[in-house]
Amino acid sequence: MSKLTRQNYPYYLLLPGLLIFFCFFAYPSVSGFYYAFVNWDGIQVRGFTGWDNFRNLIDRDDFGLVFYNTFLFTAVTTFFKIALGLLLAVLANMTLRFSKLLRSVLFLPVILSYVAVGLVFSAIFEPDRGLLNQLLTWVGMGGWTQSWLTNEHLVMFSISAAEIWKTAGFCMMLFLAGLQTIPKDWYEAAQMDGAGAGARFRYITLPALRPVIQINVILTLISGLKVFDLVYTMTGGGPSGASEVISTVVYDSFSKGYYGEGTAANLLLFVLILVVVIFTHKLITKNDKETSHA
Amino acid sequence: MLKKRKSNRAGWELLILAICFVVFLPTFMVVVNSFKDAAGAADMSLSLPGVWHIADNYATVYREANIPRAYWNTSVVTVLSVIGIVLLCSTSAYVIQRRDDPIIRTLRYILLAGMILPLTIIPTFIFFHKIHLTGNYWGVILLYIASSYPFISYVYSGFFDGISKDIDEAAAMDGAKGAGLFFRVIFPLLMPINATAIIISFMSFWNDFGIAIYFLSSPKLQTLGLTVYFFFGIHTSDWNYVFADLVLISLPVIALYVVLQRYIVAGLTSGAVKS
């Protein structure tokens, strides 16, 4: 058997891909752990500087804001993508006219590029003639019009809205696939026992969808923390830094030649994602154990 | 009772139509305003154009927004990366899924980390720069392949779970081994999962912005996403042109979506569901 394994599944089939992964992704990324601790202009390393790069980052006036924005975007988008995705999936799963249309229309933004979505939403949020303010005025809510992208308190929410528009359809399809694995007779049995729609959702749909929800939460958390394209194309981090997130700081440091600082920021993101994923995973497995005991 | 049911249904159906309408509005706004003259598009209203400026707008954008070049650049980078991904991930995943030794087990953890963790982009860029992989297509192609390698290999691994080892052994009896066995016997069985891998990687490479902006900013190398972004930088308030540009760069994926909707939806979602 072992000889057969060696013959049938030789390492030379594995190596080409693996080498590319190690040389061009793993190695340079991990080398960041070195470059974050040196004084470095991209050509020459001018000595070890300890935590200086990190200290410079923390000394930025907007250090707290950058992390706050990243977390805010992550939290808002995760909540709405999961909640809306779930409700839309339930709606799409009912045998109604137009439910196919719902799927097609909601998935369309998923295939578009973030640049396109970012630019479209800069147009929608444009204060004078943008679609949103026009519609608000048109339905008689003229008092609600805002400078969606230039108001520093609103800007992260506006960017989050664009992300939710783009990806809610993706979450919907994941949940829909989950819903379709739930046997119809569970619902019929529950209905005979007198369970209302709310109870059926609470006691059948939600528990059955648990694994899908967990995957979805982890995926949206990761993509939220990494956010770059939307922020960069919609505001470039503005107005005056009010929508800066970790990845835009990395790019900004890069274009200004602050390589050490940018690498340090990138490493913080690296560690942050690791911590969040491990923490969420722990939380999920702990919850799973508790519910399986009950 | 039955009547109440019916009116309920109509209510839900109306809700669906309302949601579709709202979600589709931005797309409609872009298309309709890409047909207007500058003044009309600056208004960004949803009404049909008074004067249709289709040929005008699109010809201008085609000339001034570096469109043919960007199409070529995006296609070269995307196609080569997708081919690379399919060949490298299918072969790797085959060994990773079939073998079970300490090296492979460690490797699975490393790949899991590679799936979750972000690229450290600045050291990566400088490293590529030092070995002359910036200022040309090859660096980006290698980076696209390297960064999607863990996930796509994982998707392939899941598919190999469903192919019995008996097939390998039967083929080995007939004298096939190694690469020959894989490409002649196994690879032809992979068409469904190849389609999934192609769809996932095509979409992410074609639409990429985050890596391209570091590597492909020079006008000669700009991809579609970059050209529209830089075009917008120059023509910030010429919404008719910007919208026409957005339509032009999104056309291929939209056309694909219209023709292959079922496969695209299944392909993009199946990767996530399996994990």
Side-chain angles (χ1 to χ4, degrees):
Chain A
M1 181 60 214
S2 155
K3 188 178 161 234
L4 211 63
T5 303
R6 237 177 300 137
Q7 269 188 3
N8 289 354
Y9 319 120
Y11 276 122
Y12 69 75
L13 275 181
L14 167 70
L15 279 178
L18 196 62
L19 278 178
I20 288 186
F21 168 73
F22 271 114
C23 294
F24 299 109
F25 181 92
Y27 161 70
S29 281
V30 170
S31 78
F33 280 93
Y34 166 69
Y35 287 116
F37 294 96
V38 295
N39 178 1
W40 178 52
D41 62 1
I43 304 163
Q44 242 186 340
V45 172
R46 298 211 182 80
F48 189 72
T49 54
W51 294 94
D52 276 6
N53 287 324
F54 292 90
R55 237 172 259 136
N56 289 343
L57 259 185
I58 295 167
D59 283 344
R60 287 171 62 125
D61 295 335
D62 62 349
F63 180 76
L65 182 67
V66 168
F67 276 79
Y68 175 76
N69 283 341
T70 310
F71 282 123
L72 183 67
F73 178 87
T74 307
V76 170
T77 54
T78 302
F79 176 78
F80 280 100
K81 278 153 77 170
I82 302 295
L84 287 176
L86 204 52
L87 294 177
L88 287 165
V90 171
L91 196 58
N93 198 36
M94 301 204 288
T95 36
L96 296 168
R97 274 182 299 171
F98 313 127
S99 53
K100 258 202 184 136
L101 180 74
L102 182 68
R103 289 177 223 177
S104 311
V105 171
L106 267 135
F107 206 80
L108 177 67
V110 176
I111 59 148
L112 298 176
S113 68
Y114 270 110
V115 197
V117 173
L119 295 184
V120 171
F121 273 81
S122 340
I124 289 174
F125 288 136
E126 217 260 328
D128 298 324
R129 302 300 314 161
L131 187 61
L132 182 56
N133 281 350
Q134 272 194 62
L135 287 178
L136 285 173
T137 315
W138 188 64
V139 297
M141 292 164 66
W144 290 65
T145 57
Q146 298 287 347
S147 313
W148 301 102
L149 293 176
T150 43
N151 177 331
E152 54 185 275
H153 300 294
L154 279 176
V155 60
M156 283 322 291
F157 292 98
S158 308
I159 301 173
S160 304
E163 166 77 13
I164 294 163
W165 178 80
K166 178 169 170 23
T167 46
F170 184 72
C171 292
M172 174 187 85
M173 292 311 296
L174 290 189
F175 287 134
L176 192 58
L179 282 178
Q180 284 164 348
T181 62
I182 305 176
K184 283 255 183 319
D185 43 340
W186 289 9
Y187 289 105
E188 281 157 22
Q191 204 163 11
M192 289 222 261
D193 291 343
R200 275 172 287 162
F201 182 76
R202 168 82 182 75
Y203 293 106
I204 300 177
T205 312
L206 273 184
L209 285 185
R210 235 190 136 86
V212 193
I213 295 175
Q214 289 165 355
I215 284 301
N216 235 332
V217 167
I218 292 187
L219 287 178
T220 52
L221 285 177
I222 297 175
S223 74
L225 293 171
K226 283 184 187 173
V227 62
F228 172 74
D229 301 8
L230 265 190
V231 178
Y232 190 72
T233 51
M234 287 176 77
T235 66
S240 53
S243 63
E244 210 78 70
V245 291
I246 301 176
S247 294
T248 57
V249 168
V250 174
Y251 184 75
D252 196 45
S253 311
F254 170 77
S255 45
K256 287 182 181 146
Y258 300 154
Y259 294 143
E261 227 174 283
T263 308
N266 208 154
L267 272 197
L268 288 182
L269 177 65
F270 190 99
V271 173
L272 193 64
I273 289 177
L274 196 63
V275 170
V276 167
V277 169
I278 291 174
F279 180 77
T280 322
H281 186 77
K282 279 255 160 71
L283 204 71
I284 285 167
T285 36
K286 191 173 150 236
N287 260 330
D288 274 354
K289 266 188 203 142
E290 272 164 21
T291 39
S292 65
H293 280 306
Chain B
M1 183 76 189
L2 205 70
K3 222 175 189 177
K4 197 181 154 218
R5 269 273 164 89
K6 257 200 174 146
S7 72
N8 255 345
R9 277 180 67 110
W12 288 121
E13 284 163 355
L14 263 178
L15 178 65
I16 291 183
L17 284 182
I19 294 171
C20 290
F21 178 74
V22 170
V23 173
F24 193 67
L25 264 190
T27 312
F28 178 76
M29 176 200 75
V30 170
V31 175
V32 84
N33 281 292
S34 77
F35 297 155
K36 296 178 184 171
D37 60 5
D43 227 21
M44 284 193 260
S45 73
L46 297 172
S47 58
L48 291 177
V51 196
W52 293 75
H53 269 247
I54 304 181
D56 235 32
N57 290 345
Y58 282 84
T60 308
V61 169
Y62 185 84
R63 256 191 341 251
E64 288 181 16
N66 206 3
I67 294 287
R69 182 89 221 176
Y71 258 98
W72 170 249
N73 290 340
T74 310
S75 307
V76 170
V77 168
T78 305
V79 169
L80 292 179
S81 306
V82 168
I83 293 174
I85 266 289
V86 167
L87 289 176
L88 296 167
C89 292
S90 61
T91 46
S92 280
Y94 183 57
V95 179
I96 294 170
Q97 193 271 339
R98 288 302 203 241
R99 274 186 182 243
D100 190 36
D101 53 45
I103 301 176
I104 295 289
R105 262 171 271 153
T106 322
L107 189 57
R108 289 199 191 116
Y109 280 106
I110 296 175
L111 291 180
L112 182 65
M115 243 185 277
I116 294 165
L117 295 170
L119 193 67
T120 315
I121 187 80
I122 298 175
T124 304
F125 179 85
I126 302 294
F127 171 68
F128 276 60
H129 187 71
K130 276 186 186 149
I131 54 176
H132 307 291
L133 285 174
T134 53
N136 54 49
Y137 299 132
W138 299 107
V140 179
I141 292 170
L142 285 169
L143 190 52
Y144 281 163
I145 293 175
S147 56
S148 353
Y149 174 82
F151 180 63
I152 306 285
S153 297
Y154 173 79
V155 169
Y156 273 106
S157 274
F159 191 79
F160 286 124
D161 286 337
I163 299 181
S164 164
K165 270 190 174 184
D166 296 348
I167 294 181
D168 314 348
E169 274 152 33
M173 297 290 191
D174 293 341
K177 58 182 175 183
L181 187 156
F182 179 80
F183 284 107
R184 254 176 282 138
V185 182
I186 303 295
F187 197 76
L189 303 174
L190 298 184
M191 288 315 148
I193 199 68
N194 284 340
T196 302
I198 290 171
I199 288 166
I200 296 175
S201 51
F202 175 87
M203 286 294 173
S204 74
F205 303 155
W206 187 275
N207 285 336
D208 170 65
F209 182 79
I211 288 178
I213 196 163
Y214 283 87
F215 282 83
L216 302 172
S217 291
S218 81
K220 242 179 55 199
L221 295 170
Q222 276 171 19
T223 49
L224 289 165
L226 291 178
T227 52
V228 74
Y229 177 73
F230 289 123
F231 185 78
F232 174 70
I234 302 165
H235 296 264
T236 309
S237 45
D238 303 336
W239 287 109
N240 54 335
Y241 294 147
V242 174
F243 289 150
D245 197 349
L246 286 174
V247 172
L248 271 183
I249 68 147
S250 307
L251 221 46
V253 276
I254 293 177
L256 273 182
Y257 179 64
V258 170
V259 181
L260 300 172
Q261 191 189 338
R262 260 188 47 213
Y263 301 95
I264 290 177
V265 173
L268 289 181
T269 48
S270 71
V273 173
K274 288 232 183 65
S275 36

